[in-house]
Amino acid sequence: HFASRRVRDAIIRTRKILANPGVSISEDLTNANFKLMKRTQEQPAATTAWAANGKIIALLKNGKKVRVDLDTDIDAFFRRQMNA
């Protein structure tokens, strides 16, 4: 736990620099958001996905960043992204 959100956010932003092999730094997500992020990462249209302040963000293969919410139909959403 961090004493302030500002310090936590600074560490999360620099996690690539701070992480050692075999160690990762990530946000503590709800079980639902964790599953959503994993499903998003597995989508063929997504290059990667990450959490930012409890929100799931995906980088698409076309370079566009999109926010994915719990009420999003993942399969339909990414199918539309691949056809766009």
Coordinates of all heavy atoms in Angstrom, one line a residue:
H1 N 0.8 -1.2 0.0 CA 0.0 0.0 0.0 C 0.9 1.2 0.0 O 1.9 1.3 0.6 CB -0.9 0.0 1.2 CG -1.9 -1.1 1.2 ND1 -3.1 -1.0 0.5 CD2 -1.9 -2.3 1.8 CE1 -3.7 -2.2 0.6 NE2 -3.1 -3.0 1.4
F2 N 0.4 2.3 -0.7 CA 1.1 3.5 -0.8 C 0.4 4.6 0.1 O -0.8 4.5 0.3 CB 1.2 4.0 -2.2 CG 2.0 3.1 -3.1 CD1 1.5 2.2 -3.9 CD2 3.4 3.3 -3.1 CE1 2.2 1.3 -4.7 CE2 4.2 2.4 -3.9 CZ 3.6 1.5 -4.7
A3 N 1.3 5.5 0.6 CA 0.7 6.6 1.4 C -0.1 7.6 0.6 O -1.0 8.2 1.1 CB 1.8 7.3 2.2
S4 N 0.3 7.7 -0.7 CA -0.4 8.7 -1.5 C -0.6 8.1 -2.9 O 0.2 7.3 -3.4 CB 0.3 10.0 -1.6 OG 1.4 9.9 -2.5
R5 N -1.7 8.5 -3.6 CA -2.0 8.1 -4.9 C -0.9 8.6 -5.9 O -0.6 7.9 -6.9 CB -3.4 8.5 -5.3 CG -3.9 8.0 -6.6 CD -5.3 8.3 -6.8 NE -6.1 7.4 -5.9 CZ -7.4 7.6 -5.7 NH1 -8.1 8.6 -6.3 NH2 -8.0 6.8 -4.9
R6 N -0.4 9.8 -5.6 CA 0.6 10.4 -6.5 C 1.8 9.5 -6.6 O 2.4 9.3 -7.7 CB 0.9 11.8 -6.0 CG 1.9 12.6 -6.9 CD 2.2 14.0 -6.4 NE 2.7 13.9 -5.0 CZ 4.0 13.7 -4.7 NH1 4.9 13.4 -5.7 NH2 4.5 13.7 -3.5
V7 N 2.3 9.0 -5.5 CA 3.5 8.1 -5.5 C 3.2 6.8 -6.2 O 4.0 6.3 -7.0 CB 4.0 7.9 -4.0 CG1 5.1 6.8 -4.0 CG2 4.4 9.2 -3.4
R8 N 2.0 6.2 -5.9 CA 1.6 5.0 -6.5 C 1.6 5.2 -8.1 O 2.2 4.3 -8.8 CB 0.3 4.5 -6.0 CG -0.1 3.2 -6.7 CD -1.6 3.0 -6.7 NE -2.2 4.0 -7.6 CZ -3.5 4.1 -7.8 NH1 -4.3 3.3 -7.1 NH2 -4.0 5.0 -8.6
D9 N 1.0 6.2 -8.5 CA 0.9 6.5 -10.0 C 2.3 6.7 -10.6 O 2.5 6.2 -11.7 CB 0.0 7.7 -10.2 CG -1.5 7.4 -9.9 OD1 -1.8 6.2 -9.7 OD2 -2.3 8.4 -9.8
A10 N 3.2 7.3 -9.9 CA 4.5 7.5 -10.4 C 5.2 6.2 -10.6 O 5.9 6.0 -11.6 CB 5.3 8.5 -9.5
I11 N 5.1 5.3 -9.6 CA 5.7 4.0 -9.7 C 5.1 3.2 -10.8 O 5.8 2.5 -11.6 CB 5.7 3.3 -8.3 CG1 6.6 4.0 -7.4 CG2 6.0 1.8 -8.5 CD1 6.6 3.6 -5.9
I12 N 3.8 3.2 -10.9 CA 3.1 2.4 -12.0 C 3.6 2.9 -13.4 O 3.9 2.2 -14.2 CB 1.6 2.5 -11.8 CG1 1.1 1.8 -10.6 CG2 0.9 2.0 -13.1 CD1 1.2 0.3 -10.6
R13 N 3.7 4.3 -13.5 CA 4.2 4.8 -14.8 C 5.6 4.4 -15.2 O 5.9 4.2 -16.3 CB 4.1 6.3 -14.8 CG 2.7 6.9 -15.1 CD 2.8 8.4 -15.3 NE 3.4 9.1 -14.3 CZ 2.9 9.6 -13.2 NH1 1.6 9.4 -13.0 NH2 3.6 10.3 -12.3
T14 N 6.4 4.2 -14.2 CA 7.8 3.8 -14.5 C 8.1 2.3 -14.2 O 9.3 1.9 -14.1 CB 8.8 4.7 -13.6 OG1 8.5 4.4 -12.2 CG2 8.7 6.1 -13.9
R15 N 7.1 1.5 -14.2 CA 7.3 0.1 -13.9 C 8.2 -0.6 -14.9 O 8.9 -1.6 -14.5 CB 5.9 -0.6 -13.8 CG 5.1 -0.6 -15.1 CD 3.8 -1.3 -14.8 NE 2.9 -0.9 -15.9 CZ 1.6 -0.8 -15.7 NH1 1.1 -1.2 -14.6 NH2 0.8 -0.4 -16.7
K16 N 8.2 -0.2 -16.1 CA 9.2 -0.9 -17.1 C 10.6 -0.7 -16.7 O 11.4 -1.6 -16.8 CB 8.9 -0.4 -18.5 CG 7.6 -0.9 -19.1 CD 7.5 -0.4 -20.5 CE 6.2 -0.9 -21.1 NZ 6.0 -0.4 -22.4
I17 N 10.9 0.5 -16.2 CA 12.3 0.8 -15.7 C 12.6 0.1 -14.4 O 13.7 -0.4 -14.2 CB 12.5 2.3 -15.6 CG1 12.2 3.0 -16.9 CG2 13.8 2.6 -15.0 CD1 12.1 4.5 -16.8
L18 N 11.6 0.0 -13.5 CA 11.8 -0.5 -12.2 C 11.8 -2.1 -12.1 O 12.5 -2.7 -11.2 CB 10.8 0.0 -11.2 CG 10.8 1.5 -11.0 CD1 9.5 1.9 -10.2 CD2 12.0 1.9 -10.3
A19 N 11.1 -2.7 -13.0 CA 11.0 -4.2 -13.0 C 12.3 -4.9 -13.3 O 13.0 -4.5 -14.3 CB 9.8 -4.6 -13.9
N20 N 12.5 -6.0 -12.6 CA 13.6 -6.9 -12.9 C 13.1 -8.1 -13.6 O 11.9 -8.4 -13.5 CB 14.3 -7.3 -11.6 CG 15.1 -6.1 -11.0 OD1 15.7 -5.3 -11.7 ND2 15.0 -6.0 -9.7
P21 N 13.9 -8.9 -14.3 CA 13.4 -10.1 -14.9 C 12.7 -11.0 -13.8 O 13.2 -11.2 -12.7 CB 14.6 -10.8 -15.4 CG 15.6 -9.7 -15.6 CD 15.3 -8.7 -14.5
G22 N 11.5 -11.5 -14.1 CA 10.8 -12.3 -13.2 C 9.9 -11.5 -12.2 O 9.2 -12.1 -11.4
V23 N 10.0 -10.2 -12.2 CA 9.3 -9.4 -11.3 C 8.4 -8.4 -12.1 O 8.9 -7.8 -13.0 CB 10.2 -8.5 -10.4 CG1 9.4 -7.6 -9.5 CG2 11.1 -9.5 -9.5
S24 N 7.2 -8.3 -11.7 CA 6.3 -7.3 -12.4 C 5.6 -6.4 -11.4 O 5.4 -6.8 -10.2 CB 5.2 -8.1 -13.2 OG 4.4 -8.8 -12.3
I25 N 5.3 -5.2 -11.8 CA 4.6 -4.2 -11.0 C 3.3 -3.9 -11.7 O 3.3 -3.5 -12.9 CB 5.5 -2.9 -10.9 CG1 6.8 -3.2 -10.2 CG2 4.7 -1.9 -10.1 CD1 7.8 -2.1 -10.2
S26 N 2.2 -4.2 -11.0 CA 0.9 -3.9 -11.6 C -0.1 -3.4 -10.6 O 0.1 -3.6 -9.4 CB 0.4 -5.2 -12.3 OG 0.2 -6.2 -11.3
E27 N -1.2 -2.9 -11.1 CA -2.2 -2.4 -10.2 C -2.9 -3.6 -9.6 O -3.0 -4.7 -10.2 CB -3.2 -1.6 -10.9 CG -2.7 -0.2 -11.3 CD -3.9 0.7 -11.9 OE1 -5.0 0.6 -11.3 OE2 -3.6 1.3 -12.8
D28 N -3.5 -3.4 -8.4 CA -4.3 -4.4 -7.8 C -5.7 -4.2 -8.3 O -6.4 -3.2 -8.1 CB -4.3 -4.2 -6.2 CG -5.0 -5.3 -5.5 OD1 -5.1 -6.4 -6.1 OD2 -5.4 -5.1 -4.3
L29 N -6.2 -5.2 -9.1 CA -7.4 -5.1 -9.8 C -8.5 -6.0 -9.1 O -8.1 -7.0 -8.5 CB -7.3 -5.5 -11.3 CG -6.4 -4.7 -12.1 CD1 -6.2 -5.4 -13.5 CD2 -6.9 -3.3 -12.3
T30 N -9.7 -5.6 -9.3 CA -10.8 -6.5 -8.9 C -10.7 -7.8 -9.7 O -10.1 -7.8 -10.8 CB -12.2 -5.9 -9.1 OG1 -12.4 -5.7 -10.5 CG2 -12.3 -4.6 -8.3
N31 N -11.3 -8.9 -9.3 CA -11.3 -10.1 -10.0 C -11.9 -9.9 -11.4 O -11.4 -10.4 -12.4 CB -12.0 -11.2 -9.2 CG -11.8 -12.6 -9.8 OD1 -10.7 -12.9 -10.4 ND2 -12.8 -13.4 -9.7
A32 N -13.0 -9.2 -11.5 CA -13.7 -8.9 -12.7 C -12.8 -8.1 -13.7 O -12.7 -8.5 -14.9 CB -15.0 -8.2 -12.5
N33 N -12.2 -7.1 -13.2 CA -11.3 -6.3 -14.1 C -10.0 -7.1 -14.5 O -9.6 -7.0 -15.6 CB -10.8 -5.0 -13.4 CG -11.7 -3.9 -13.7 OD1 -12.5 -3.9 -14.6 ND2 -11.6 -2.8 -12.9
F34 N -9.5 -8.0 -13.6 CA -8.4 -8.8 -14.0 C -8.8 -9.8 -15.1 O -8.1 -9.9 -16.1 CB -7.9 -9.6 -12.8 CG -6.8 -10.5 -13.1 CD1 -5.5 -10.0 -13.2 CD2 -7.0 -11.9 -13.3 CE1 -4.4 -10.8 -13.5 CE2 -5.9 -12.7 -13.6 CZ -4.6 -12.2 -13.7
K35 N -10.0 -10.4 -15.0 CA -10.4 -11.3 -16.1 C -10.7 -10.5 -17.4 O -10.3 -11.0 -18.5 CB -11.7 -12.0 -15.6 CG -11.5 -13.0 -14.6 CD -12.7 -13.7 -14.2 CE -12.5 -14.7 -13.1 NZ -13.7 -15.4 -12.6
L36 N -11.2 -9.3 -17.3 CA -11.4 -8.5 -18.4 C -10.1 -8.1 -19.1 O -10.0 -8.2 -20.3 CB -12.2 -7.2 -18.0 CG -12.4 -6.2 -19.1 CD1 -13.3 -6.7 -20.2 CD2 -13.0 -4.9 -18.5
M37 N -9.1 -7.8 -18.4 CA -7.8 -7.5 -18.9 C -7.2 -8.7 -19.6 O -6.7 -8.6 -20.7 CB -6.8 -6.9 -17.9 CG -5.5 -6.5 -18.5 SD -4.4 -5.6 -17.4 CE -4.0 -7.0 -16.3
K38 N -7.3 -9.9 -19.0 CA -6.7 -11.1 -19.6 C -7.5 -11.4 -20.9 O -6.8 -11.7 -21.9 CB -6.9 -12.3 -18.7 CG -5.9 -12.2 -17.5 CD -4.5 -12.2 -18.1 CE -3.4 -12.2 -17.0 NZ -2.1 -12.1 -17.6
R39 N -8.8 -11.3 -20.9 CA -9.6 -11.5 -22.2 C -9.2 -10.5 -23.3 O -9.1 -10.9 -24.4 CB -11.1 -11.5 -21.9 CG -11.5 -12.7 -21.2 CD -13.0 -13.1 -21.4 NE -13.4 -13.2 -22.8 CZ -14.5 -12.8 -23.2 NH1 -15.4 -12.3 -22.4 NH2 -14.8 -12.9 -24.5
T40 N -9.0 -9.3 -22.8 CA -8.6 -8.2 -23.8 C -7.2 -8.5 -24.4 O -7.0 -8.4 -25.6 CB -8.6 -6.9 -23.1 OG1 -9.9 -6.6 -22.6 CG2 -8.3 -5.8 -24.1
Q41 N -6.3 -9.0 -23.6 CA -4.9 -9.3 -24.0 C -4.9 -10.4 -25.0 O -4.1 -10.5 -25.9 CB -4.0 -9.6 -22.9 CG -3.7 -8.4 -22.0 CD -3.0 -8.8 -20.7 OE1 -3.1 -9.9 -20.2 NE2 -2.2 -7.9 -20.2
E42 N -5.9 -11.3 -24.9 CA -6.0 -12.5 -25.8 C -6.6 -12.2 -27.2 O -6.6 -13.1 -28.0 CB -6.7 -13.6 -25.1 CG -6.0 -14.1 -23.9 CD -6.9 -15.0 -23.0 OE1 -8.1 -15.2 -23.3 OE2 -6.3 -15.6 -22.1
Q43 N -7.2 -11.0 -27.3 CA -7.9 -10.7 -28.6 C -6.9 -10.5 -29.7 O -5.9 -9.8 -29.6 CB -8.7 -9.4 -28.4 CG -9.9 -9.6 -27.4 CD -10.9 -10.6 -28.0 OE1 -11.2 -10.7 -29.1 NE2 -11.3 -11.5 -27.1
P44 N -7.2 -11.1 -30.9 CA -6.3 -10.9 -32.0 C -6.1 -9.4 -32.5 O -5.0 -9.1 -33.0 CB -7.0 -11.7 -33.1 CG -7.9 -12.6 -32.5 CD -8.3 -12.0 -31.2
A45 N -7.1 -8.6 -32.3 CA -7.0 -7.2 -32.7 C -6.2 -6.3 -31.8 O -5.8 -5.2 -32.1 CB -8.4 -6.6 -32.9
A46 N -5.9 -6.9 -30.6 CA -5.2 -6.1 -29.6 C -3.7 -6.5 -29.5 O -3.4 -7.7 -29.5 CB -5.8 -6.3 -28.2
T47 N -2.8 -5.5 -29.5 CA -1.4 -5.7 -29.4 C -1.1 -6.0 -27.9 O -0.3 -6.9 -27.6 CB -0.6 -4.5 -29.9 OG1 -1.0 -4.2 -31.2 CG2 0.9 -4.7 -29.8
T48 N -1.7 -5.2 -27.0 CA -1.5 -5.4 -25.6 C -2.6 -4.7 -24.9 O -3.4 -4.0 -25.5 CB -0.1 -4.8 -25.2 OG1 0.1 -5.2 -23.8 CG2 -0.1 -3.3 -25.3
A49 N -2.7 -5.0 -23.6 CA -3.7 -4.3 -22.7 C -3.1 -4.1 -21.3 O -2.2 -4.9 -20.9 CB -4.9 -5.1 -22.6
W50 N -3.5 -3.1 -20.7 CA -3.0 -2.8 -19.3 C -4.0 -2.0 -18.5 O -5.1 -1.6 -19.1 CB -1.7 -1.9 -19.4 CG -1.9 -0.6 -20.0 CD1 -2.2 0.6 -19.4 CD2 -1.9 -0.2 -21.4 NE1 -2.3 1.6 -20.2 CE2 -2.1 1.2 -21.5 CE3 -1.7 -1.0 -22.6 CZ2 -2.2 1.8 -22.7 CZ3 -1.7 -0.3 -23.8 CH2 -2.0 1.1 -23.9
A51 N -3.8 -1.9 -17.2 CA -4.7 -1.2 -16.3 C -4.1 0.1 -16.0 O -2.9 0.3 -15.8 CB -4.9 -2.0 -15.1
A52 N -5.0 1.2 -16.0 CA -4.6 2.5 -15.6 C -5.7 3.1 -14.7 O -6.8 3.3 -15.2 CB -4.3 3.4 -16.8
N53 N -5.4 3.2 -13.4 CA -6.4 3.7 -12.5 C -7.7 2.9 -12.5 O -8.8 3.5 -12.4 CB -6.7 5.2 -12.7 CG -5.5 6.1 -12.4 OD1 -4.8 5.9 -11.4 ND2 -5.3 7.1 -13.2
G54 N -7.5 1.6 -12.5 CA -8.7 0.7 -12.5 C -9.4 0.6 -13.8 O -10.4 -0.1 -13.9
K55 N -8.9 1.2 -14.9 CA -9.5 1.1 -16.2 C -8.7 0.3 -17.1 O -7.5 0.3 -17.0 CB -9.7 2.5 -16.8 CG -10.6 3.4 -15.9 CD -10.5 4.8 -16.5 CE -11.4 5.8 -15.6 NZ -10.8 6.1 -14.4
I56 N -9.3 -0.5 -17.9 CA -8.6 -1.4 -18.9 C -8.4 -0.6 -20.2 O -9.4 -0.2 -20.8 CB -9.3 -2.7 -19.0 CG1 -9.6 -3.4 -17.7 CG2 -8.5 -3.6 -20.0 CD1 -8.3 -3.6 -16.8
I57 N -7.2 -0.5 -20.6 CA -6.9 0.1 -21.9 C -6.2 -0.9 -22.8 O -5.4 -1.7 -22.4 CB -5.9 1.3 -21.7 CG1 -6.3 2.2 -20.6 CG2 -5.6 2.1 -23.0 CD1 -7.6 3.0 -20.8
A58 N -6.6 -0.9 -24.1 CA -6.0 -1.8 -25.1 C -5.4 -1.0 -26.2 O -5.9 0.0 -26.6 CB -7.0 -2.7 -25.6
L59 N -4.2 -1.4 -26.7 CA -3.6 -0.9 -27.8 C -3.9 -1.8 -29.0 O -3.5 -3.0 -28.9 CB -2.1 -0.7 -27.7 CG -1.3 -0.2 -28.9 CD1 -1.7 1.2 -29.2 CD2 0.2 -0.3 -28.6
L60 N -4.6 -1.3 -30.0 CA -5.0 -2.1 -31.1 C -3.9 -2.2 -32.1 O -3.0 -1.4 -32.2 CB -6.2 -1.5 -31.8 CG -7.4 -1.4 -30.8 CD1 -8.6 -0.8 -31.6 CD2 -7.8 -2.7 -30.2
K61 N -3.9 -3.2 -33.0 CA -2.9 -3.3 -34.0 C -2.9 -2.2 -35.0 O -1.8 -1.9 -35.6 CB -3.1 -4.6 -34.8 CG -2.8 -5.8 -33.9 CD -2.8 -7.1 -34.6 CE -2.4 -8.2 -33.7 NZ -2.5 -9.5 -34.3
N62 N -4.0 -1.4 -35.1 CA -4.0 -0.2 -36.0 C -3.4 1.0 -35.3 O -3.4 2.1 -35.8 CB -5.4 0.0 -36.5 CG -6.4 0.4 -35.4 OD1 -6.0 0.6 -34.2 ND2 -7.6 0.5 -35.8
G63 N -2.9 0.8 -34.0 CA -2.3 1.9 -33.3 C -3.2 2.7 -32.4 O -2.8 3.6 -31.7
K64 N -4.5 2.4 -32.5 CA -5.5 3.1 -31.7 C -5.6 2.6 -30.3 O -5.5 1.4 -30.1 CB -6.9 3.0 -32.4 CG -8.0 3.7 -31.8 CD -9.3 3.5 -32.6 CE -10.5 4.1 -31.9 NZ -11.7 3.8 -32.7
K65 N -5.7 3.5 -29.3 CA -5.9 3.1 -27.9 C -7.4 3.2 -27.6 O -8.1 4.2 -27.9 CB -5.2 4.0 -26.9 CG -3.7 3.8 -26.9 CD -3.1 4.7 -25.9 CE -1.6 4.6 -25.9 NZ -0.9 5.6 -25.0
V66 N -8.0 2.1 -27.0 CA -9.4 2.1 -26.6 C -9.5 1.6 -25.2 O -8.7 0.9 -24.6 CB -10.2 1.2 -27.5 CG1 -10.2 1.7 -28.9 CG2 -9.6 -0.3 -27.5
R67 N -10.6 2.1 -24.5 CA -10.9 1.7 -23.2 C -12.0 0.6 -23.3 O -12.9 0.7 -24.0 CB -11.5 2.9 -22.4 CG -11.9 2.5 -21.0 CD -12.3 3.8 -20.2 NE -13.0 3.3 -19.0 CZ -13.6 4.1 -18.2 NH1 -13.7 5.4 -18.5 NH2 -14.2 3.7 -17.1
V68 N -11.8 -0.4 -22.5 CA -12.7 -1.6 -22.5 C -13.3 -1.6 -21.1 O -12.6 -1.6 -20.1 CB -11.9 -2.9 -22.7 CG1 -12.9 -4.0 -22.8 CG2 -11.2 -2.8 -24.0
D69 N -14.7 -1.6 -21.0 CA -15.4 -1.6 -19.8 C -16.0 -3.0 -19.5 O -16.1 -3.8 -20.4 CB -16.5 -0.6 -19.8 CG -16.0 0.8 -20.0 OD1 -15.1 1.2 -19.2 OD2 -16.5 1.6 -20.8
L70 N -16.4 -3.2 -18.2 CA -16.9 -4.5 -17.8 C -18.2 -4.8 -18.6 O -18.5 -6.0 -18.9 CB -17.3 -4.5 -16.3 CG -16.0 -4.5 -15.4 CD1 -16.4 -4.3 -14.0 CD2 -15.3 -5.9 -15.6
D71 N -19.0 -3.8 -19.0 CA -20.2 -4.1 -19.8 C -20.0 -4.2 -21.3 O -20.9 -4.4 -22.0 CB -21.3 -3.0 -19.5 CG -20.8 -1.6 -19.8 OD1 -19.6 -1.4 -20.1 OD2 -21.7 -0.7 -19.8
T72 N -18.7 -4.1 -21.7 CA -18.4 -4.3 -23.1 C -18.5 -5.7 -23.6 O -18.0 -6.6 -22.9 CB -17.0 -3.8 -23.4 OG1 -16.9 -2.4 -23.0 CG2 -16.6 -3.9 -24.9
D73 N -19.1 -6.0 -24.7 CA -19.1 -7.3 -25.3 C -17.8 -7.5 -26.0 O -17.6 -7.0 -27.1 CB -20.3 -7.5 -26.2 CG -20.4 -8.8 -26.9 OD1 -19.4 -9.6 -26.8 OD2 -21.4 -9.1 -27.5
I74 N -16.8 -8.1 -25.4 CA -15.4 -8.1 -25.8 C -15.3 -8.7 -27.3 O -14.7 -8.1 -28.1 CB -14.6 -9.0 -24.9 CG1 -14.5 -8.4 -23.5 CG2 -13.2 -9.2 -25.4 CD1 -13.8 -7.1 -23.4
D75 N -16.0 -9.8 -27.5 CA -15.8 -10.4 -28.8 C -16.4 -9.5 -29.9 O -15.8 -9.3 -31.0 CB -16.5 -11.8 -28.9 CG -15.8 -12.8 -27.9 OD1 -14.5 -12.7 -27.8 OD2 -16.5 -13.6 -27.3
A76 N -17.6 -9.0 -29.7 CA -18.2 -8.1 -30.7 C -17.4 -6.8 -30.9 O -17.2 -6.4 -32.0 CB -19.6 -7.8 -30.3
F77 N -16.9 -6.2 -29.8 CA -16.2 -5.0 -29.8 C -14.9 -5.2 -30.7 O -14.6 -4.4 -31.6 CB -15.8 -4.6 -28.4 CG -14.9 -3.4 -28.4 CD1 -15.4 -2.1 -28.6 CD2 -13.6 -3.5 -28.1 CE1 -14.6 -1.0 -28.5 CE2 -12.7 -2.3 -28.1 CZ -13.3 -1.1 -28.3
F78 N -14.1 -6.2 -30.4 CA -12.9 -6.4 -31.2 C -13.1 -6.9 -32.6 O -12.3 -6.6 -33.5 CB -11.9 -7.3 -30.4 CG -11.3 -6.6 -29.3 CD1 -11.7 -6.8 -28.0 CD2 -10.2 -5.8 -29.5 CE1 -11.1 -6.1 -27.0 CE2 -9.6 -5.1 -28.5 CZ -10.0 -5.3 -27.2
R79 N -14.2 -7.6 -32.8 CA -14.6 -7.9 -34.2 C -14.8 -6.7 -35.0 O -14.4 -6.5 -36.2 CB -15.8 -8.8 -34.2 CG -15.8 -9.9 -35.2 CD -17.0 -10.9 -35.2 NE -18.1 -10.6 -34.3 CZ -18.2 -11.2 -33.1 NH1 -17.3 -12.1 -32.7 NH2 -19.3 -11.0 -32.3
R80 N -15.6 -5.7 -34.4 CA -15.8 -4.4 -35.1 C -14.5 -3.7 -35.3 O -14.3 -3.1 -36.4 CB -16.7 -3.5 -34.3 CG -18.2 -3.9 -34.3 CD -19.1 -2.9 -33.7 NE -18.7 -2.5 -32.4 CZ -19.1 -3.0 -31.3 NH1 -19.9 -4.1 -31.3 NH2 -18.8 -2.6 -30.1
Q81 N -13.6 -3.7 -34.4 CA -12.3 -3.0 -34.5 C -11.5 -3.6 -35.7 O -10.8 -2.9 -36.4 CB -11.5 -3.1 -33.2 CG -12.1 -2.4 -32.1 CD -12.3 -0.9 -32.3 OE1 -11.5 -0.2 -33.0 NE2 -13.4 -0.4 -31.9
M82 N -11.5 -4.9 -35.8 CA -10.8 -5.6 -36.9 C -11.3 -5.3 -38.3 O -10.6 -5.2 -39.3 CB -10.7 -7.1 -36.7 CG -9.8 -7.5 -35.5 SD -9.5 -9.2 -35.4 CE -8.5 -9.5 -36.8
N83 N -12.7 -5.0 -38.3 CA -13.3 -4.7 -39.6 C -13.3 -3.2 -39.9 O -13.6 -2.9 -41.0 CB -14.8 -5.2 -39.6 CG -14.8 -6.8 -39.5 OD1 -13.9 -7.4 -40.1 ND2 -15.8 -7.3 -38.9
A84 N -12.9 -2.4 -39.0 CA -13.0 -1.0 -39.2 C -11.7 -0.5 -40.0 O -10.7 -1.1 -40.1 CB -13.0 -0.2 -37.9

